[in-house]
């Protein structure tokens, strides 16, 4: 009877663990990164030489450009000419362009989006570690997902426990961790946890417990 009770308890613990593994994943808040929204950017980010900016002037496609920030810190804008972009945020750059464009365009509405962060190498990279083909750091690009990053690291190894993968992201409250069901993504086509990434994210794929 004693052994029977122990067996029942053991099965119950295994069932609870299984439910936990298959329960709702803790996911990061999504900010529309795949749609090219300005929320790609953290407010505190200051642009630097090498970053690529997309400048859009509403209802004026001829004035809209995508340009890298040159070594002198400037970007070239139609009608405006060269304007300093390094060392300021996208919203501040948009306001400067609007001010100068107002000499030529009535009530200009300008949006600036960072499409590639090359100036700050550490901030602009996504890192993948653990049971993957190669621990690596990839340059972040707009719309990048977990699957993109994992494939860039050579996918997972035979010893990986992919459904226990974690995504670590820095926030104002500290480092947050989120659940990534990588096996579901790779083998079942379940993209629920194939979330958009942010610059500085770290993905860790653990090994199985034998």
């Amino acid at each position: 009877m004693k052994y029977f009770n122990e067996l029942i308890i053991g099965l119950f613990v295994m069932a609870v663990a299984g439910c936990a593994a298959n329960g709702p994943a803790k996911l990061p808040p999504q900010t529309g990164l795949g749609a090219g929204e300005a929320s790609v950017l953290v407010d505190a980010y200051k642009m630097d030489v090498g970053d690529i900016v997309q400048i859009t002037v509403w209802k004026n496609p001829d004035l809209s450009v995508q340009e890298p920030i040159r070594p002198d810190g400037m970007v070239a804008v139609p009608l405006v000419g060269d304007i300093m972009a390094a060392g300021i945020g996208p919203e501040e750059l948009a306001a400067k362009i609007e001010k100068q464009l107002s000499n030529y365009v009535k009530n200009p509405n300008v949006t600036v989006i960072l499409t590639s962060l090359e100036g700050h190498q550490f901030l602009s990279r996504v890192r993948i570690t653990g049971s993957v083909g190669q621990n690596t750091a990839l340059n972040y690009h707009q719309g990048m997902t977990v699957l993109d990053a994992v494939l860039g690291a050579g996918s997972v190894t035979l010893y990986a426990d992919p459904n226990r993968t974690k995504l670590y992201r820095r926030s104002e409250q500290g480092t947050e961790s989120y659940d990534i069901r990588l096996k579901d993504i790779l083998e079942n086509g379940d993209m629920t946890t194939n979330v958009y990434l942010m610059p500085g994210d770290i993905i860790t794929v653990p090994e199985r417990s034998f």
Side-chain angles (χ1 to χ4, degrees), residues 38-70:
S39 54
V40 153
L41 315 169
V42 291
D43 292 338
Y45 185 80
K46 303 300 182 185
M47 298 181 295
D48 204 352
V49 172
D51 289 345
I52 299 177
V53 295
Q54 178 181 314
I55 301 168
T56 303
V57 183
W58 189 56
K59 290 187 175 181
N60 287 274
D62 293 340
L63 302 179
S64 301
V65 294
Q66 181 167 294
E67 293 283 332
I69 299 177
R70 303 192 313 250

